[in-house]
Amino acid sequence: MSPNSSEIITSTEPSHEDATTDEQTPQVVLNDSAKKRALSAEEDYVFNQLQNASCASGAPGGQTGTKYAKIINETNRGKYVEANVPYHYSTKELEADYESKALYLIDGPNIMRLKGDEITPC
């Protein structure tokens, strides 16, 4: 049994025939979904941090950096996804473009930010 087969069976609940015809198709969808969820969570994190900063205004998106997510590990706990989100903000003193990088654990419907850059413009 491959490490991903139980994940495919429990997450999509295919019939026996579906599970044996094309195991790769459901896995690709799961990986893409995990990456999208990690990116979305990091964008939300950046947005919330900047919204809560009394001295700055800003949002995800910026002139520098690349928005990406990649699966860096997969265990029985879930998928570990690195997410990178560029962002910009401005204060009275400066205009800034940065990137926020974080590591997420995605396990079924759960997503947890394990570690990552802190955004503290003030």
Side-chain angles (χ1 to χ4, degrees):
M1 178 181 271
S2 73
N4 298 330
S5 62
S6 65
E7 193 167 10
I8 292 168
I9 292 168
T10 59
S11 63
T12 61
E13 297 182 22
S15 68
H16 178 67
E17 180 179 295
D18 291 335
T20 58
T21 55
D22 189 4
E23 285 188 18
Q24 294 306 309
T25 302
Q27 186 60 38
V28 171
V29 172
L30 290 174
N31 286 344
D32 286 346
S33 175
K35 289 187 242 182
K36 287 177 185 176
R37 290 175 60 203
L39 276 176
S40 179
E42 190 61 11
E43 287 175 332
D44 289 347
Y45 172 80
V46 169
F47 180 80
N48 289 330
Q49 293 298 108
L50 293 173
Q51 289 296 307
N52 292 329
S54 60
C55 72
S57 64
Q63 300 294 327
T64 59
T66 303
K67 180 178 169 180
Y68 71 86
K70 65 180 178 180
I71 296 174
I72 61 170
N73 197 9
E74 191 171 342
T75 69
N76 61 350
R77 291 187 64 203
K79 295 179 188 295
Y80 292 83
V81 182
E82 180 181 277
N84 193 73
V85 173
Y87 67 95
H88 69 275
Y89 71 87
S90 59
T91 67
K92 291 180 183 179
E93 293 83 29
L94 69 106
E95 295 280 326
D97 280 326
Y98 290 105
E99 293 177 289
S100 180
K101 185 181 286 187
L103 178 64
Y104 285 88
L105 173 60
I106 300 177
D107 177 21
N110 304 313
I111 183 167
M112 183 176 9
R113 190 176 199 262
L114 300 176
K115 64 180 181 177
D117 296 335
E118 290 187 29
I119 299 174
T120 55
C122 302

